[in-house]
C-alpha cells in the first residue's frame, strides 16, 4: 500500500522562544525567578520567566482530569505545579538505575540540602518508568527504543505543561555505538537521522505517515561542546546521530540471532553513514528531537560511544570501563547545568 506522507510545517520562528540571560544582564528581572531561587536556596538563579511548556493538543483543554498513566501521576491526584513547578532541566536516559545515580550525582554537584540517598522514585507506583527530582533537575528513564521514549515524552511534556514549568531544557544522556570514533568519546548530536540517513522522524497517525523535523538547538550543542573543553579527559565531538529501531540487524550488527548481510555490506552501510556525518548510532534520538522541536522545547542529545562499530559489534569492555563511559554524558550535562545556574564560572 502506498504510504501517504505529511510534513509538519512547524517553523522555527513560530515556536516559543526560550532565552538564557547572562548574569551581567540581570537585575530587576532576577526577581521574576522566585521558583528557582526557592529550590536552590541560593542566589544562583540564571533565568527570567518567559515561556511555559506548550502542548499541541486542543482536546486536552476539555478534559476534566489528565491521568499520566505510565508515570502513575494525575492532575486530580497530584499537585503537579507544587511537585514540579520549579523544574528547569530534564535529563532522560534508558535505564532507571542510571537515572537514579544521575539524580544523586546532580544533587551533590548542586550542593542541594538533604541526603542524596533519600531521593525516591516519584513513579514508584509503576515499573514502566523511573523519575527522580533533585532541585530544578528532573531525571527520568525512557526504556529502550522509539515507542518507549515516545510514550514517556507525551506524558513528560504534559506533566511539564500541567506543572506550569517555564524555560525547560531537555537532555538525553545515553550510550551509543561509535562510527569511526574511539570508545569513550562523547557525541553531542548535531542532527538526529533515521536509518535512511534522513534528518526526520516518521510517525504513523491514523494510518498515515507524519514526517517531523529532528532539528535540535544548535546553540545548546555548541554550549555543550565548549563545556566539554573545560573538563579534563572528556573527548567530545559534535556529529550526526543515527537512530534505529533495532540494536542488531537495524544497526548492521553481524552478531544477532538473524543476519542477512555480509561483513562487506555492513561496512558499506557504516561508511555511507560516516560520509553523511554520522558519528554514533542509538535508538531514541529522532523521536526525542522531533517531539521537543514540535513542542518548542530546547533539547540536546549527549551520548557516549561504547565501541567503534568499524572494529566490531560486541560490547566487551570491562564493567568499570563501562561505568566510567556512562558517566561522561552526565558529567558534561551537569557542568552545563552548574554554569547556567551560576554555580561555576
Ligand atoms: O544507553 P541508553 O540511553 O539506554 O540508550 C542506548 O542503549 C540501548 C541499547 O543498548 C538503546 O536504547 C540505545 O539508544
Ligand atoms: O552499539 C550501540 C551501543 C549502545 N547503544 C546502541 O544503540 N548501540
Amino acid at each position: 500500500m502506498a504510504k501517504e506522507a505529511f510534513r509538519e510545517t512547524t517553523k522555527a520562528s513560530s515556536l516559543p522562544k526560550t532565552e538564557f540571560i547572562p548574569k551581567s544582564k540581570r537585575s530587576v528581572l532576577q526577581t521574576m525567578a522566585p521558583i528557582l531561587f526557592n529550590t536552590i536556596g541560593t542566589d544562583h538563579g540564571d533565568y527570567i520567566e518567559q515561556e511555559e511548556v506548550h502542548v499541541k493538543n486542543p482536546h486536552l483543554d476539555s478534559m476534566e482530569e489528565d491521568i499520566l498513566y505510565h508515570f502513575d501521576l494525575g492532575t486530580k491526584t497530584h499537585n503537579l505545579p507544587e511537585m514540579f513547578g520549579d523544574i528547569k532541566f530534564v535529563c532522560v536516559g534508558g535505564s532507571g538505575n542510571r537515572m537514579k545515580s544521575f539524580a544523586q550525582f546532580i544533587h551533590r554537584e548542586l550542593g542541594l540540602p538533604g541526603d542524596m540517598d533519600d531521593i525516591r522514585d516519584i513513579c514508584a507506583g509503576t515499573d514502566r518508568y523511573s523519575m527522580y527530582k533533585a532541585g530544578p533537575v528532573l531525571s527520568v528513564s525512557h526504556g529502550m527504543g522509539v515507542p518507549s521514549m515516545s510514550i514517556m515524552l507525551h506524558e513528560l511534556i504534559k506533566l511539564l505543561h500541567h506543572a506550569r514549568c517555564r524555560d525547560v531544557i531537555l537532555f538525553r544522556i545515553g550510550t551509543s555505538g561509535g562510527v569511526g570514533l574511539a570508545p569513550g568519546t562523547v557525541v553531542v548530536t548535531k542532527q538526529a537521522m533515521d536509518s535512511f540517513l534522513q534528518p526526520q522522524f516518521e510517525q504513523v497517525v491514523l494510518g498515515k505517515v507524519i514526517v517531523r523535523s529532528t532539528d535540535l538547538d544548535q546553540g545548546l550543542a555548541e554550549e555543550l561542546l565548549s563545556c566539554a573543553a573545560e573538563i579534563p579527559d572528556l573527548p567530545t565531538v559534535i556529529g550526526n546521530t543515527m537512530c534505529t529501531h533495532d540494536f542488531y540487524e537495524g544497526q548492521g550488527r553481524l552478531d544477532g540471532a538473524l543476519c542477512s548481510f555480509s561483513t562487506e555490506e555492513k561496512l558499506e552501510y557504516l561508511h555511507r553513514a560516516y560520509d553523511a556525518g554520522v558519528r554514533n548510532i542509538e535508538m531514541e534520538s529522532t523521536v526525542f528531537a522531533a517531539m521537543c522541536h514540535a513542542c518548542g522545547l530546547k533539547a540536546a542529545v549527549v551520548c557516549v560511544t561504547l565501541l567503534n562499530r568499524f572494529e566490531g559489534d560486541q560490547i566487551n569492555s570491562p564493567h568499570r570501563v563501562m561505568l566510567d563511559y556512562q558517566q561522561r554524558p552526565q558529567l558534561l550535562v551537569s557542568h552545563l547545568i552548574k554554569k547556567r545556574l551560576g554555580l561555576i564560572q
Side-chain angles (χ1 to χ4, degrees):
M1 200 176 69
K3 65 180 183 181
E4 240 179 298
F6 293 86
R7 181 167 287 278
E8 283 199 334
T9 53
T10 319
K11 295 220 175 62
S13 58
S14 69
L15 296 172
K17 299 236 169 9
T18 56
E19 195 189 342
F20 176 64
I21 306 296
K23 259 198 171 145
S24 55
K25 299 215 175 105
R26 280 181 268 135
S27 53
V28 177
L29 294 175
Q30 277 190 320
T31 58
M32 294 170 68
I35 299 170
L36 191 59
F37 291 137
N38 287 347
T39 308
I40 302 284
T42 70
D43 62 352
H44 295 302
D46 264 342
Y47 293 90
I48 60 166
E49 287 184 289
Q50 289 183 334
E51 281 298 343
E52 291 193 4
V53 173
H54 294 274
V55 287
K56 299 266 176 75
N57 178 2
H59 303 285
L60 284 183
D61 289 342
S62 57
M63 283 166 53
E64 241 182 65
E65 179 180 15
D66 190 6
I67 296 169
L68 308 175
Y69 167 62
H70 301 88
F71 286 161
D72 194 33
L73 295 171
T75 50
K76 277 204 170 157
T77 46
H78 298 80
N79 184 341
L80 299 179
E82 191 178 288
M83 289 172 76
F84 299 104
D86 59 341
I87 293 297
K88 296 292 174 192
F89 307 96
V90 180
C91 298
V92 302
S95 105
N97 280 339
R98 193 196 308 151
M99 298 325 287
K100 181 175 184 181
S101 9
F102 176 70
Q104 293 174 330
F105 171 65
I106 198 80
H107 179 102
R108 201 175 52 234
E109 290 292 299
L110 299 186
L112 295 171
D115 188 340
M116 69 175 191
D117 291 328
D118 290 341
I119 294 181
R120 293 279 163 261
D121 184 358
I122 297 167
C123 299
T126 167
D127 54 8
R128 295 291 187 183
Y129 302 108
S130 301
M131 181 186 288
Y132 303 91
K133 185 174 181 300
V137 182
L138 196 63
S139 179
V140 191
S141 70
H142 56 64
M144 279 195 283
V146 162
S148 185
M149 170 68 104
S150 162
I151 295 165
M152 192 284 288
L153 277 180
H154 276 284
E155 295 184 12
L156 174 67
I157 295 170
K158 289 198 296 173
L159 182 154
L160 298 172
H161 170 72
H162 293 313
R164 298 195 283 277
C165 296
R166 288 167 179 272
D167 299 326
V168 182
I169 305 179
L170 282 81
F171 300 92
R172 163 161 150 69
I173 44 177
T175 63
S176 61
V179 184
L181 294 175
T185 308
V186 174
V187 180
V188 177
T189 303
K190 184 174 182 188
Q191 184 87 66
M193 295 177 149
D194 65 16
S195 302
F196 303 99
L197 303 171
Q198 294 301 312
Q200 62 187 34
F201 172 66
E202 291 189 351
Q203 177 73 287
V204 180
V205 179
L206 305 182
K208 293 169 186 164
V209 177
I210 290 193
V211 183
R212 294 192 166 126
S213 158
T214 53
D215 280 356
L216 289 159
D217 191 281
Q218 295 305 304
L220 187 58
E222 293 294 339
E223 194 179 331
L224 282 159
L225 196 67
S226 49
C227 283
E230 295 167 5
I231 306 172
D233 305 320
L234 197 78
T236 305
V237 298
I238 284 198
N240 295 338
T241 296
M242 179 160 72
C243 175
T244 67
H245 292 307
D246 173 48
F247 182 83
Y248 288 98
E249 289 180 289
Q251 295 188 3
R253 278 190 155 80
L254 300 164
D255 60 344
L258 301 173
C259 184
S260 56
F261 46 85
S262 64
T263 305
E264 292 69 35
E265 285 169 317
K266 163 198 159 174
L267 289 175
E268 188 276 326
Y269 182 58
L270 291 182
H271 278 290
R272 201 144 45 84
Y274 186 89
D275 291 344
V278 169
R279 293 296 175 269
N280 65 338
I281 308 175
E282 47 75 270
M283 296 177 60
E284 294 86 14
S285 58
T286 49
V287 69
F288 175 75
M291 288 185 69
C292 290
H293 181 79
C295 292
L297 287 162
K298 267 194 181 189
V301 178
V302 186
C303 290
V304 69
T305 62
L306 302 182
L307 76 170
N308 180 358
R309 288 299 314 289
F310 284 135
E311 286 169 6
D313 295 334
Q314 297 252 306
I315 298 176
N316 51 18
S317 303
H319 184 66
R320 62 176 172 77
V321 175
M322 282 301 155
L323 270 185
D324 169 49
Y325 288 171
Q326 283 193 27
Q327 279 160 3
R328 292 180 181 190
Q330 304 184 15
L331 210 62
L332 178 51
V333 167
S334 119
H335 192 81
L336 182 142
I337 291 175
K338 285 192 289 178
K339 284 191 95 157
R340 285 220 167 202
L341 293 176
L343 294 172
I344 51 175
Q345 286 304 307

